[in-house]
Amino acid sequence: MAYGRLDIYYADGRAETHYLEASHLTIGKSQDASIRLDDESISGHHLSIQWADGVVSLCDLESEGGTFIDGQPIGHQPVILAETEEIQIGTLRLIFQPLDLQATVPSSVQDTAVVPKLGFSASFDQRAVDVWPAAMTSVLLTLSAHGLQPLSLEIRASGLPEAYWRLSRRHINLDPREPSNVLLNFKPPRHPQTKPGRYTLVLDIIPNEQLDQAQRYELPVTVHPYGGFGVALSQACLKLDEVVTLYLHNQGSEAVSVTLSARSRDGSLGARFSLNGTTLLAGERGQVIVTPQALKRPLIGQPQVHELFIEVQAQTAARWLLAQVVRVEVPPRLKPWATLSLLGVGASLILLLLLGLLGLFAPRPARIDSLRLSASEAIEAGQPLVLEWQAENVESFILLVNDSPHVTLQPDQRRYELDTSLYPSGTLRLEIRAGQVNELIAAQASIELRRTLHDVTLSVQPLTVPRNVQTSLSIQWSVVNALEVRLEGLELFSEQLLPDLSGIGGAFAVFGRASQPFDIILRAIGEREQRLEARQRVTVADALCQSRTELMSRAGPGDTYPPLRTLPANRLFNTVGRDEANAWAQLEVEGEVLWVRADALACQGFRTEQLPILRDALLPSTVSPMAQPTPATQASPTPR
């Protein structure tokens, strides 16, 4: 019985699963490794897994690239694997999950491993699921039929958001001769809107579309929160009398409280904050105005530049600390020539006073005429926004964005280009204000900032696949400004795990079979519930093979079966499947089922070993010769 499961994820999108049963296993690219992985980035015998007395341990076998657990190297000492762990070797990502050796998950709150009802039963290979955003965990659901009749099952799910998980397939044709597996892949998106907590995934399995005969199975799922935080400054250098904006962004999925402080190495600088501390909800952004303060300032001399460290510390158990550095120019209290000019300054003041009394000196008032924007009503986030204004007698300008200071501008500056990618969607309020006057002299403007979902593309090759033949589909996708991307429809083609659809695009390959046409749908969700989709239809054609020579067909997969008919050379035939040894292939000719040698066929775009195995083929049997009739003995004539 397996004590653990190892999910392997390759860099090219491939994935495979191994159940761990042996007490000692080696993993690597060597042919004699217990689990051989086809990847050149790992060593021949890279690591080992050992199970003894109910304890699972992992050890690096002095590999060239090393072994990492949760991003940390493990060295060459054994590490105990007591719970789900993420392992990195080379470019491969391995997820180890321990399995409960006692029983499978009960289908209800009762302590029952498998509950048979109405001809089938189901069981999970795990009792519960613990999953972190962006980390994948898989659970195997095994369905078994009781009886001789096949069943058509439909799985309906509830209790867990669809974005957090997916089923490999929802419709199953259950063969009474062998169980069928369905893979449940759990991977909550790494997004602030992902809500941590304890959920119960409820699966209602409906046989033959009869709702009153449905069976319910429950699986506890714990979605853990994740932490992420970003800080940035509006400018890197400023003077002592200027302010700087500190931008805060909680990128995690739970609320975080932070405190703010500032210091310099020599103790010459401090700072005053508009908020000394704040709490940001999941995904929330915030701004704090920071005003540098000189704690030690020379009386005379040249201006000096000091580094001010602005620190943000979380009030959580982690107590993480983030810091940003701003360079502050601190002038002396008096310039070197200030003493010598005091008399001149005094005389000038007396002269100005006299001129003012005589009405010969009248200061002109400061004014700001207008604020014009390069866009009129709305602009796409990320595009630069140009601000232009007219002003007179203003010593400096302050640009405020959404009522918070953004940057201090020079007196002769009349144009500024704003990076709109730093701000959330919605109304962007802009204000140019005079920075050196007591009265409010300002000009305002506003514009709508949008992030429009667009350019959703999906490419699938090929668009026609041979029926029931193992085939590879190449999938490419791209999207702009999407918060969430999902790919649907491939569960009708393959049970292979799909890579994470994050970012603005990607490409991967998936292997599977198709018996009927199906649609692959790329669904994208943007801000304000914008939704777009791209769709590609994959059609199914007959699996055609050409006879190389004239063929003798038989009633079954072997020479012991009676011959049926001779097939001409260079003809195309619809190929249905093959036997387990790939020695014989089954053809469908004019409604008749025929078997021919597989090596006598040349198939179009595939090989005969990619055909499905027909396990219900007749067993070979020897043809008995027909008994010859015994001739009747003629009676001798009776003499008269």
Side-chain angles (χ1 to χ4, degrees):
M1 182 178 294
Y3 57 83
R5 192 179 79 193
L6 198 63
D7 296 325
I8 316 293
Y9 300 96
Y10 290 84
D12 59 2
R14 292 178 294 150
E16 58 188 61
T17 296
H18 298 270
Y19 285 86
L20 310 180
E21 297 180 350
S23 59
H24 182 78
L25 295 165
T26 58
I27 299 175
K29 65 181 179 181
S30 176
Q31 293 285 351
D32 59 349
S34 305
I35 299 178
R36 182 179 179 273
L37 304 180
D38 183 17
D39 193 275
E40 294 299 323
S41 66
I42 63 175
S43 300
H45 295 84
H46 199 105
L47 60 88
S48 66
I49 294 178
Q50 187 167 352
W51 180 50
D53 299 327
V55 177
V56 184
S57 60
L58 177 146
C59 184
D60 182 86
L61 300 178
E62 299 184 357
S63 63
E64 182 176 351
T67 301
F68 301 81
I69 293 182
D70 291 334
Q72 300 298 321
I74 67 170
H76 302 304
Q77 298 299 321
V79 175
I80 295 178
L81 304 177
E83 55 187 19
T84 301
E85 298 286 0
E86 180 174 347
I87 306 165
Q88 184 78 30
I89 56 173
T91 61
L92 300 182
R93 179 167 165 261
L94 286 61
I95 303 296
F96 169 80
Q97 298 185 28
L99 300 182
D100 191 341
L101 302 181
Q102 301 301 320
T104 55
V105 174
S107 63
S108 67
V109 294
Q110 300 174 354
D111 190 16
T112 306
V114 176
V115 180
K117 180 183 178 184
L118 299 178
F120 76 95
S121 62
S123 63
F124 298 106
D125 67 346
Q126 295 187 50
R127 286 187 175 274
V129 175
D130 276 354
V131 64
W132 282 259
M136 179 175 287
T137 299
S138 299
V139 173
L140 193 67
L141 173 65
T142 301
L143 300 165
S144 302
H146 305 297
L148 301 177
Q149 297 299 322
L151 293 175
S152 175
L153 303 180
E154 178 188 357
I155 301 178
R156 297 183 183 179
S158 61
L160 187 66
E162 292 185 1
Y164 297 6
W165 75 293
R166 74 172 183 87
L167 276 170
S168 61
R169 50 180 176 160
R170 294 179 182 268
H171 298 273
I172 302 97
N173 293 322
L174 189 58
D175 193 324
R177 291 170 297 181
E178 58 181 353
S180 184
N181 294 325
V182 178
L183 203 59
L184 287 70
N185 298 318
F186 298 87
K187 189 174 184 182
R190 189 174 175 86
H191 192 277
Q193 295 179 358
T194 299
K195 297 187 181 300
R198 296 182 181 274
Y199 299 84
T200 298
L201 177 61
V202 179
L203 299 183
D204 290 312
I205 305 180
I206 305 169
N208 298 333
E209 299 183 354
Q210 299 182 23
L211 292 175
D212 59 336
Q213 299 183 7
Q215 295 187 30
R216 171 162 291 187
Y217 297 82
E218 296 181 353
L219 181 66
V221 179
T222 300
V223 178
H224 293 272
Y226 75 94
F229 206 90
V231 297
L233 292 173
S234 61
Q235 58 191 106
C237 301
L238 70 157
K239 295 182 179 180
L240 185 61
D241 57 351
E242 297 175 342
V243 299
V244 64
T245 302
L246 176 66
Y247 297 99
L248 307 174
H249 185 196
N250 182 8
Q251 301 166 348
S253 59
E254 62 179 351
V256 176
S257 297
V258 297
T259 58
L260 307 176
S261 60
R263 61 181 179 85
S264 61
R265 289 192 178 96
D266 56 5
S268 62
L269 288 177
R272 186 175 69 253
F273 298 91
S274 60
L275 293 173
N276 291 325
T278 184
T279 299
L280 297 180
L281 301 178
E284 186 178 3
R285 300 174 185 265
Q287 297 181 11
V288 178
I289 305 303
V290 184
T291 304
Q293 293 181 318
L295 304 179
K296 299 178 181 179
R297 188 174 179 183
L299 182 62
I300 60 174
Q302 297 296 323
Q304 298 179 356
V305 177
H306 300 270
E307 290 185 339
L308 179 64
F309 292 84
I310 302 174
E311 298 176 338
V312 181
Q313 186 164 43
Q315 300 304 301
T316 62
R319 298 287 293 177
W320 49 258
L321 180 68
L322 300 177
Q324 291 285 302
V325 182
V326 61
R327 297 170 62 86
V328 182
E329 182 181 297
V330 180
R333 298 181 185 275
L334 294 176
K335 295 184 178 180
W337 42 266
T339 305
L340 299 177
S341 61
L342 285 178
L343 293 176
V345 171
S348 300
L349 290 175
I350 295 173
L351 180 59
L352 291 175
L353 179 60
L354 293 174
L355 292 174
L357 294 174
L358 296 174
L360 299 177
F361 180 78
R364 293 180 296 173
R367 66 185 181 87
I368 302 177
D369 290 338
S370 62
L371 176 60
R372 298 185 301 274
L373 307 180
S374 58
S376 57
E377 296 180 357
I379 189 172
E380 187 73 17
Q383 294 183 358
L385 179 64
V386 178
L387 291 74
E388 294 182 334
W389 63 93
Q390 297 295 327
E392 290 183 2
N393 303 325
V394 178
E395 296 183 9
S396 65
F397 299 98
I398 296 178
L399 171 61
L400 290 86
V401 181
N402 290 340
D403 303 323
S404 298
H406 174 72
V407 67
T408 301
L409 306 170
Q410 298 301 318
D412 58 347
Q413 191 168 348
R414 297 293 184 269
R415 187 179 187 275
Y416 182 77
E417 187 174 290
L418 179 67
D419 182 6
T420 60
S421 63
L422 302 175
Y423 298 95
S425 302
T427 301
L428 201 63
R429 298 181 302 277
L430 307 165
E431 182 177 355
I432 292 290
R433 180 178 296 181
Q436 299 293 332
V437 295
N438 294 326
E439 58 181 332
L440 178 62
I441 302 175
Q444 299 90 13
S446 64
I447 193 169
E448 189 73 15
L449 190 61
R450 300 174 180 171
R451 280 182 169 84
T452 305
L453 182 67
H454 60 92
D455 291 345
V456 179
T457 62
L458 174 65
S459 174
V460 179
Q461 293 294 333
L463 289 177
T464 300
V465 297
R467 180 175 287 102
N468 294 328
V469 173
Q470 181 93 27
T471 310
S472 172
L473 289 181
S474 176
I475 298 175
Q476 292 183 331
W477 65 276
S478 63
V479 63
V480 177
N481 290 335
L483 297 179
E484 180 184 343
V485 181
R486 297 199 305 267
L487 197 63
E488 300 176 359
L490 281 174
E491 62 272 10
L492 299 176
F493 177 74
S494 172
E495 295 185 10
Q496 180 179 332
L497 295 177
L498 300 182
D500 181 24
L501 298 188
S502 60
I504 62 173
F508 61 94
V510 62
F511 295 87
R513 304 177 190 269
S515 60
Q516 58 187 2
F518 61 95
D519 290 331
I520 301 177
I521 308 171
L522 180 71
R523 302 189 189 276
I525 303 176
E527 293 182 348
R528 300 184 302 278
E529 295 300 320
Q530 302 174 74
R531 296 175 182 269
L532 290 177
E533 69 176 42
R535 182 186 300 258
Q536 288 281 12
R537 185 163 185 82
V538 179
T539 59
V540 177
D542 288 341
L544 298 179
C545 295
Q546 186 177 23
S547 55
R548 303 178 189 271
T549 60
E550 188 176 82
L551 300 176
M552 173 58 70
S553 63
R554 296 186 176 272
D559 290 326
T560 58
Y561 285 91
L564 296 180
R565 57 189 288 191
T566 301
L567 302 178
N570 301 322
R571 282 277 303 275
L572 288 175
F573 301 100
N574 180 26
T575 314
V576 179
R578 63 179 177 90
D579 65 347
E580 289 188 287
N582 193 34
W584 293 80
Q586 187 185 90
L587 308 181
E588 199 175 78
V589 182
E590 298 174 356
E592 187 178 5
V593 175
L594 308 175
W595 288 85
V596 299
R597 289 193 173 275
D599 56 7
L601 299 175
C603 299
Q604 295 187 346
F606 63 93
R607 302 182 303 276
T608 55
E609 54 262 33
Q610 295 175 248
L611 291 166
I613 299 175
L614 303 178
R615 301 184 186 276
D616 56 352
L618 298 175
L619 295 175
S621 58
T622 304
V623 178
S624 301
M626 297 181 60
Q628 298 295 326
T630 303
T633 303
Q634 295 183 358
S636 300
T638 301
R640 295 184 180 181

